[in-house]
Amino acid sequence: MKNCQILSGFFNFLKITNSLCKKMSSPAPKSPEQSVKSKKYDRQLRLWGDHGQKNLENAKICLINATALGTEILKSLVLPGIGLFTIVDGEKICEEDIGSNFFLEVDTLGSSRAQIATQCLLELNPDVRGDYIDETPEHVMSHTQDFFNNFTVVIATALSEKTLIPLSKLLWEANIPLIVCRSIGFLGYIRLQVKEHTVIESHPDSENPDLRLGQPWDALKEHLDQIDVPNLDKKTRSHTPALVILYYFLKKYREEHNGLLPKTRLEKLEIKKMIEESIPSDEHGLNLLEENYKEAIHYVNTAVTPLKIPSNIQEILEDESCVNLTQNSNPFWIMCAALRELVQTDGALPLRGSLPDMASDTNSYVALQQIYQKQAQVHAEIVYRRADQIARNLGLGQDAIIENDVKLFCKHAAELHVMRTSCIADEYEKTNVDLSSYLEDSDSLMFYYIMFRGLERFISEFNAYPGQFDDQVEPDVLKLKGILSKLLNEWGCSHALRDERVHEVCRYGGAELHSVSAVLGGCAAHEVIKLITHQYKPLNNTFICDVISSNTATFCL
Amino acid sequence: MSETVESSQKRWGHLRKVLERPGPFCHPEFEPSSEILDFIMTSCKILIIGAGGLGCELLKDLALMGFKQIHVIDMDTIDLSNLNRQFLFRHKDIGSAKAEVAAEFINKRVAGCYVTPHFCKIQDYDEEFYRQFHIVVCGLDSIVARRWINGMLVAMLQYENGVLDQSSVIPMVDGGTEGFKGNARVILPGMSACVECTLDLYPPQVTYPLCTIANTPRLPEHCIEYVKVITWPKENPFNTALDGDDPQHIGWIYEKSMERALHFNIPGVTYRLVQGVVKNIIPAVASTNAIIAGICATEVFKIATSCCVPMNNYMVFNDVDGIYSYTYEAEKKENCLVCSQIPQELPIKDPSLMKLKEIISLLCESVIYQMKSPGITTTIGGKNKTLYISAIKSIEEKTKDNLNKTLTELGLKDGSEIMVADVTSPTTLVIKLKFMNNDVEMN
Ligand SMILES: [Zn+2]
């Protein structure tokens, strides 16, 4: 309200619009009918859109072992509406299961865990289908060939080392993402394996606007050149968008600097000063900058930059998959190849086409917005034609490339992301693990990663959790210490694990605390959603959650 | 079956391991014993505030962490848009009270758990109600409610000769989410940072200046906001206040916003955006809620059992890009409005110029007060005097002329105390006015 100079003018305006509204109100546009689904999923559709939801609804998820952690993960996938899930679990429900797993009913003791968990989870959402196999994953792997190849993502909890390694290899070959999770006491572990995962919409928390005032295309130049900023009357000037003002001073600056753009901080300061001092002081000798002039100064840093391809995008454009397309290349890489050609000719990414809000009258803003949008359309059209041509040359079908997908791709060209993790089997079979850089800090959560590896080996060797039996806690501490030092030795690590951490893990005796599994379940489900929707950047690749100190860490192994 | 037997059941074997064995990260006072599980099952009373996205998760988590004496309070009924995350509710429950349906579900699923629902506002209860709980855990989307319960727990503290009586402390665990972001914190009222100590952590709500939405709209939001605040009250199409849950109302706003956007050539008005702007919708997803509630429930368990040191004391969480979290110690503010014992002073530059309405906008806009509609009373010459109260219409009528009076005209002096009541607090705040301009005082 402070900036509103003419309140009486505002009320006059009100009267006019009201009479206008009355005249127009008869044949109003009808509001669209909202489907039950869009109402039910409204709060999440605002995060990943209808296209993200469609991917979810087509996804088939496999959960190995319906532990408390396992069902917590599935819960956060069934609720947002995945297409289908299958539980593979050969266990029968025991009393401890009922005490920690919400998706088992009290009177189901001794029943198939896979079956009851499937029933209880299906109650959550009638849109989701689910089935189960009450056999161990080992049994399924050896009896049904390619069983796991039918899924969008495979999730495994409480899986033994000796099953994990072949499963990891199998899914690696099939390029199906695998998420492995473990919850013990106040500690948690998530490992994500995906051979290649591509993201168009990363949804960065903040990004600079794409304005290109230093390199205006013809239409923008023509539009901006015709506005004579210093000769505008005071009222018009105060309603002129910051970009117009900045462009005018940029032109002046370049005239004085052999056509060069301001690059250094000092040069930018100079043009900022030009803008600031261009407004004559008022009768009190005060120089009060209008909102749009302040914004123009603000945009010096982001709107006037040399055209450059961000290094992470350059890397994607030079990727093997982009340079050497085959008939098996997916649309993402074909679009990247087309983008690459545009970048080679233009030296820039396609224009994003969106304009941030800035103080301005409606018409000046909308005119500018349309110029940006039109140019973005031109760029997207070029990329689309090119991508379509490439697809045809590869012998792919006519509809291999969809125009709207290319539009989305071009709009987000600055935030493309490709992720390739290592293979879990390699990590387990590798002997020269260099963790020393992490271990300098004795508080590093990397120690818990080592702990989880030791824990798995303990389970393989003794077929029980360390500390599982009340009278074995102390002996198990010694055994686990032995395993850990052997592991570290194998990896050539000289660091030892703090005794207290070994004691703490043996105290747990394999206990699964529900609330800790709830935390991990949420984290793992969230990463699965990212993998399915191809939006937001997933975890790369090992996550340790320490609920003792309420800290988490991510390691790329 | 007696409770002692229950706590020794095999079913609770997971919990018994961490409660009946010593560990290096326990609270110094922790003594492993089977009595701890017994305590959380039979005596420990927990209050969950909110039975929504976080509340449903908290109920499940705490019930499976052994708590049986759980109360849950929520004034809302179930809506279709809750079902993507509030997993204790089904389609058939739409329209029923959240607290009641949630309690019934938990009591059925987790044998032996006894959840008591309260289908009402937190403001409907007083100290006596809140005093019965050992720990309060909040899963709220409202900052006002969070501040209110924080104020209540602080008001219940007892001091003897200025020393806090620790037995009067009811720990508060608080979680919040917005899309893929969240936070969780542990508050020991009077001992560690409270909600008001860190009020500056809450971002100010996005508001659009009236002159922009009326004269120079540029964004679809400007068009929608215009229809909401100007066109609706003018045309009053359904002879009632705007209800964001009424599809007819939203439909009307959508149509009018479309007209306005078309008129100005502004692209981007969609039905979803209209709903979002009118109802101020915060995106929400099951996974992030599960994470934050799980963290909060674990902290409740730690505080109740001492089997592990509690979080110290504030965690921010974000899973937009990978998974990120950061835990730090939020500091208690020495002169906190609510939890410090220090009287509040308000410096006034010139009482002969400062009008009452300026004090009110200061109380609303300042980062440290962030009040909603403060009512102000004072005592002049030993008599109570209402300066301004907006909440009650008849008093508003009688006192609105005071808004344009200066403090001098109202008879306020240097050192006068004003009593401020607001929805953000269960108690009135006493503020001492400090006039900087002493000439006026002498005149
Ligand atoms: Zn405080």
Side-chain angles (χ1 to χ4, degrees):
Chain A
M1 279 299 279
K2 260 178 260 162
N3 300 335
C4 206
Q5 309 117 328
I6 7 152
L7 258 183
S8 59
F10 163 62
F11 285 114
N12 280 332
F13 176 84
L14 255 188
K15 281 176 209 149
I16 300 163
T17 11
N18 274 326
S19 55
L20 261 180
C21 282
K22 276 192 189 111
K23 264 183 225 151
M24 289 169 64
S25 61
S26 28
K30 265 262 148 284
S31 67
E33 202 59 44
Q34 260 211 313
S35 70
V36 171
K37 253 188 194 167
S38 70
K39 281 185 204 159
K40 177 163 124 185
Y41 295 129
D42 178 82
R43 299 302 184 269
Q44 68 197 41
L45 292 173
R46 292 169 192 277
L47 293 164
W48 52 67
D50 297 306
H51 56 303
Q53 186 66 27
K54 205 174 140 205
N55 286 344
L56 270 185
E57 285 167 15
N58 290 328
K60 297 183 214 158
I61 304 298
C62 178
L63 170 69
I64 298 174
N65 290 333
T67 55
L69 173 55
T71 55
E72 287 302 303
I73 299 171
L74 266 192
K75 162 177 139 285
S76 292
L77 294 171
V78 169
L79 286 166
I82 49 162
L84 176 148
F85 69 82
T86 301
I87 295 179
V88 174
D89 189 344
E91 296 288 325
K92 298 274 178 273
I93 296 170
C94 68
E95 284 183 80
E96 274 103 335
D97 285 332
I98 292 188
S100 62
N101 192 331
F102 192 75
F103 297 96
L104 301 175
E105 281 179 308
V106 196
D107 52 6
T108 55
L109 206 68
S111 312
S112 150
R113 197 164 70 175
Q115 181 195 351
I116 304 299
T118 301
Q119 283 168 9
C120 289
L121 283 161
L122 279 176
E123 277 175 22
L124 296 178
N125 190 345
D127 300 341
V128 177
R129 288 174 300 139
D131 53 31
Y132 65 93
I133 294 175
D134 48 358
E135 301 280 2
T136 62
E138 294 80 10
H139 180 94
V140 173
M141 262 206 288
S142 57
H143 287 76
T144 321
Q145 200 162 16
D146 295 342
F147 173 84
F148 292 103
N149 292 20
N150 296 316
F151 295 100
T152 320
V153 180
V154 175
I155 303 159
T157 71
L159 199 64
S160 71
E161 251 183 324
K162 73 173 197 304
T163 317
L164 172 60
I165 291 170
L167 181 70
S168 147
K169 285 181 181 164
L170 192 121
L171 294 172
W172 182 259
E173 284 314 314
N175 195 19
I176 292 167
L178 167 66
I179 285 207
V180 180
C181 314
R182 223 173 238 293
S183 160
I184 173 167
F186 291 104
L187 298 171
Y189 162 87
I190 298 174
R191 168 65 151 95
L192 172 59
Q193 166 185 306
V194 58
K195 202 171 184 180
E196 179 182 290
H197 177 72
T198 59
V199 181
I200 294 172
E201 294 162 272
S202 306
H203 300 275
D205 260 346
S206 64
E207 58 181 351
N208 284 332
D210 183 12
L211 299 171
R212 306 191 188 183
L213 275 194
Q215 309 79 15
W217 58 96
D218 291 347
L220 180 64
K221 193 167 169 343
E222 206 173 292
H223 176 80
L224 294 172
D225 275 336
Q226 69 185 2
I227 305 170
D228 185 14
V229 173
N231 291 320
L232 295 174
D233 63 85
K234 194 165 183 266
K235 191 168 170 263
T236 317
R237 196 185 62 207
S238 71
H239 283 128
T240 301
L243 289 195
V244 178
I245 293 158
L246 178 55
Y247 178 80
Y248 169 78
F249 286 100
L250 193 62
K251 216 162 69 173
K252 233 173 117 182
Y253 176 94
R254 291 174 93 162
E255 276 164 18
E256 293 166 16
H257 293 82
N258 302 320
L260 293 173
L261 289 173
K263 274 195 194 117
T264 64
R265 208 178 65 89
L266 273 180
E267 287 164 350
K268 286 184 177 169
L269 219 59
E270 191 181 331
I271 185 170
K272 285 181 188 177
K273 221 166 158 198
M274 276 170 71
I275 300 171
E276 204 172 327
E277 288 169 359
S278 68
I279 298 282
S281 304
D282 66 1
E283 62 265 32
H284 305 291
L286 287 172
N287 182 345
L288 286 176
L289 275 189
E290 310 238 27
E291 195 60 34
N292 54 342
Y293 271 70
K294 284 188 205 155
E295 287 176 354
I297 290 169
H298 168 81
Y299 279 123
V300 168
N301 291 329
T302 51
V304 191
T305 45
L307 288 181
K308 223 176 75 193
I309 313 299
S311 59
N312 54 325
I313 304 299
Q314 190 64 49
E315 236 173 80
I316 292 173
L317 299 184
E318 282 160 19
D319 194 285
E320 264 297 299
S321 306
C322 179
V323 180
N324 298 322
L325 295 174
T326 68
Q327 278 201 321
N328 297 323
S329 295
N330 61 28
F332 177 87
W333 288 115
I334 295 173
M335 291 190 282
C336 280
L339 175 66
R340 190 163 181 261
E341 291 183 18
L342 179 89
V343 165
Q344 277 164 352
T345 50
D346 285 14
L349 291 175
L351 186 73
R352 196 179 303 146
S354 53
L355 201 58
D357 186 34
M358 52 189 77
S360 158
D361 65 276
T362 304
N363 288 340
S364 310
Y365 179 83
V366 169
L368 210 49
Q369 187 181 43
Q370 285 173 350
I371 291 168
Y372 274 84
Q373 274 172 357
K374 233 178 229 152
Q375 185 67 2
Q377 271 168 22
V378 169
H379 284 163
E381 178 71 23
I382 296 171
V383 177
Y384 169 63
R385 290 229 176 114
R386 226 11 248 152
D388 190 55
Q389 192 57 50
I390 294 170
R392 282 165 203 264
N393 293 347
L394 287 168
L396 298 170
Q398 269 192 357
D399 48 358
I401 298 295
I402 297 156
E403 189 166 2
N404 276 336
D405 291 353
V406 180
K407 272 190 186 156
L408 187 81
F409 177 86
C410 288
K411 193 169 162 53
H412 298 276
E415 54 184 90
L416 302 177
H417 181 66
V418 174
M419 183 174 116
R420 297 185 178 106
T421 74
S422 60
C423 172
I424 296 175
D426 289 346
E427 181 191 326
Y428 276 66
E429 286 166 353
K430 202 159 60 173
T431 49
N432 58 334
V433 189
D434 185 19
L435 303 174
S436 51
S437 61
Y438 299 109
L439 303 180
E440 294 305 321
D441 172 11
S442 66
D443 285 333
S444 169
L445 297 190
M446 178 51 88
F447 285 102
Y448 285 124
Y449 165 75
I450 300 167
M451 187 71 76
F452 274 103
R453 290 291 301 274
L455 185 86
E456 280 171 36
R457 195 161 286 185
F458 188 104
I459 299 165
S460 313
E461 278 184 30
F462 301 104
N463 207 20
Y465 284 94
Q468 186 168 338
F469 305 102
D470 283 340
D471 56 349
Q472 293 293 311
V473 181
E474 283 310 313
D476 283 356
V477 168
L478 292 178
K479 281 184 197 161
L480 182 57
K481 273 191 198 167
I483 285 176
L484 287 165
S485 61
K486 215 171 129 197
L487 255 180
L488 286 165
N489 219 355
E490 279 174 28
W491 298 340
C493 265
S494 54
H495 295 77
L497 253 75
R498 288 214 302 259
D499 275 3
E500 53 180 26
R501 287 179 166 149
V502 183
H503 278 276
E504 179 74 0
V505 167
C506 291
R507 170 197 182 196
Y508 301 152
E512 181 172 7
L513 301 181
H514 180 82
S515 63
V516 176
S517 288
V519 175
L520 281 168
C523 290
H526 198 78
E527 296 310 303
V528 173
I529 290 171
K530 291 178 187 173
L531 292 169
I532 297 170
T533 58
H534 285 265
Q535 293 184 43
Y536 301 92
K537 290 184 191 171
L539 161 77
N540 190 3
N541 52 34
T542 302
F543 174 73
I544 300 289
C545 185
D546 164 16
V547 193
I548 305 166
S549 72
S550 312
N551 280 301
T552 65
T554 302
F555 303 104
C556 189
L557 299 174
Chain B
M1 178 168 47
S2 86
E3 294 292 348
T4 335
V5 176
E6 159 106 50
S7 65
S8 63
Q9 275 178 6
K10 240 179 140 184
R11 176 178 158 205
W12 302 107
H14 292 294
L15 297 177
R16 288 172 56 196
K17 287 205 176 74
V18 293
L19 297 178
E20 296 175 15
R21 294 172 176 185
F25 302 113
C26 303
H27 192 278
E29 281 165 29
F30 177 72
E31 276 177 40
S33 123
S34 59
E35 282 164 29
I36 303 173
L37 188 57
D38 222 28
F39 163 72
I40 62 174
M41 287 186 163
T42 53
S43 328
C44 189
K45 252 189 187 179
I46 307 286
L47 174 64
I48 299 176
I49 301 183
L54 288 169
C56 284
E57 295 281 344
L58 286 167
L59 275 164
K60 162 184 70 78
D61 293 350
L62 291 172
L64 288 178
M65 292 305 277
F67 295 93
K68 286 166 176 281
Q69 313 297 322
I70 304 174
H71 287 236
V72 61
I73 179 166
D74 195 313
M75 58 180 282
D76 274 347
T77 54
I78 297 159
D79 180 75
L80 176 57
S81 66
N82 300 145
L83 301 188
N84 79 324
R85 60 196 187 286
Q86 300 177 16
F87 66 96
L88 302 177
F89 311 141
R90 306 286 172 260
H91 205 278
K92 65 169 173 37
D93 301 321
I94 290 172
S96 306
K98 285 187 179 180
E100 286 165 7
V101 176
E104 197 187 318
F105 195 102
I106 294 287
N107 292 343
K108 200 176 116 220
R109 177 62 58 86
V110 185
C113 189
Y114 187 72
V115 180
T116 310
H118 301 270
F119 176 35
C120 61
K121 288 196 241 175
I122 52 171
Q123 291 85 352
D124 293 346
Y125 287 128
D126 58 11
E127 250 188 78
E128 206 183 321
F129 173 78
Y130 291 107
R131 205 191 303 279
Q132 64 179 308
F133 298 103
H134 290 85
I135 303 170
V136 172
V137 47
C138 302
L140 288 160
D141 55 8
S142 147
I143 295 169
V144 170
R146 211 180 251 126
R147 291 174 70 184
W148 191 91
I149 187 67
N150 176 71
M152 175 56 87
L153 297 180
V154 171
M156 285 157 63
L157 295 174
Q158 275 159 18
Y159 289 86
E160 241 173 89
N161 303 324
V163 181
L164 176 66
D165 174 3
Q166 292 212 1
S167 69
S168 67
V169 175
I170 299 176
M172 168 170 158
V173 180
D174 179 48
T177 67
E178 183 173 340
F180 291 0
K181 294 168 192 170
N183 68 279
R185 68 189 296 185
V186 171
I187 295 169
L188 302 175
M191 299 169 72
S192 65
C194 81
V195 171
E196 303 286 327
C197 289
T198 56
L199 206 54
D200 54 342
L201 291 177
Y202 299 117
Q205 235 190 24
V206 182
T207 52
Y208 304 101
L210 252 189
C211 50
T212 299
I213 64 167
N215 298 329
T216 59
R218 299 174 296 271
L219 303 181
E221 288 88 345
H222 294 157
C223 301
I224 301 164
E225 195 68 20
Y226 178 86
V227 174
K228 179 183 152 187
V229 302
I230 308 286
T231 320
W232 182 280
K234 285 271 163 189
E235 298 198 12
N236 199 3
F238 299 93
N239 285 319
T240 167
L242 174 58
D243 175 4
D245 292 321
D246 187 329
Q248 261 194 309
H249 291 194
I250 295 286
W252 192 88
I253 302 256
Y254 170 74
E255 284 159 23
K256 293 287 176 191
S257 306
M258 278 298 268
E259 271 175 22
R260 190 165 166 81
L262 271 171
H263 175 76
F264 285 106
N265 260 320
I266 297 170
V269 173
T270 63
Y271 193 85
R272 191 172 290 157
L273 184 69
V274 170
Q275 266 188 316
V277 172
V278 171
K279 293 172 70 180
N280 191 22
I281 290 176
I282 298 163
V285 52
S287 47
T288 311
N289 274 324
I291 298 163
I292 296 299
I295 303 257
C296 291
T298 310
E299 292 308 317
V300 172
F301 182 75
K302 288 181 186 176
I303 296 167
T305 65
S306 296
C307 77
C308 184
V309 284
M311 175 199 294
N312 186 23
N313 51 31
Y314 199 110
M315 178 196 233
V316 287
F317 182 89
N318 184 332
D319 50 11
V320 172
D321 180 355
I323 308 174
Y324 168 85
S325 79
Y326 177 61
T327 303
Y328 68 99
E329 182 177 351
E331 280 180 38
K332 194 166 182 295
K333 207 165 124 192
E334 216 166 296
N335 60 343
C336 172
L337 278 188
V338 171
C339 77
S340 79
Q341 298 287 92
I342 296 170
Q344 299 298 316
E345 264 187 6
L346 186 65
I348 306 286
K349 251 199 195 143
D350 187 345
S352 64
L353 287 178
M354 182 90 165
K355 291 175 178 167
L356 184 63
K357 67 175 180 194
E358 289 163 39
I359 295 229
I360 288 178
S361 49
L362 180 91
L363 291 171
C364 293
E365 282 157 25
S366 149
V367 194
I368 58 164
Y369 297 110
Q370 294 188 39
M371 293 186 175
K372 298 295 164 197
S373 54
I376 304 183
T377 58
T378 188
T379 40
I380 289 173
K383 274 197 198 152
N384 291 333
K385 184 178 174 188
T386 301
L387 295 177
Y388 182 71
I389 289 177
S390 65
I392 302 158
K393 212 178 171 195
S394 59
I395 305 183
E396 204 273 337
E397 289 285 318
K398 264 188 238 163
T399 55
K400 70 177 176 197
D401 288 343
N402 286 345
L403 289 174
N404 278 315
K405 289 186 187 156
T406 66
L407 303 190
T408 313
E409 284 167 345
L410 289 167
L412 292 162
K413 302 246 162 30
D414 183 36
S416 289
E417 287 182 337
I418 54 169
M419 274 72 81
V420 185
D422 188 55
V423 288
T424 54
S425 169
T427 52
T428 51
L429 176 69
V430 180
I431 300 176
K432 193 183 248 184
L433 302 177
K434 190 170 164 54
F435 292 180
M436 310 304 278
N437 182 345
N438 280 330
D439 301 333
V440 176
E441 174 66 6
M442 273 185 258
N443 289 342

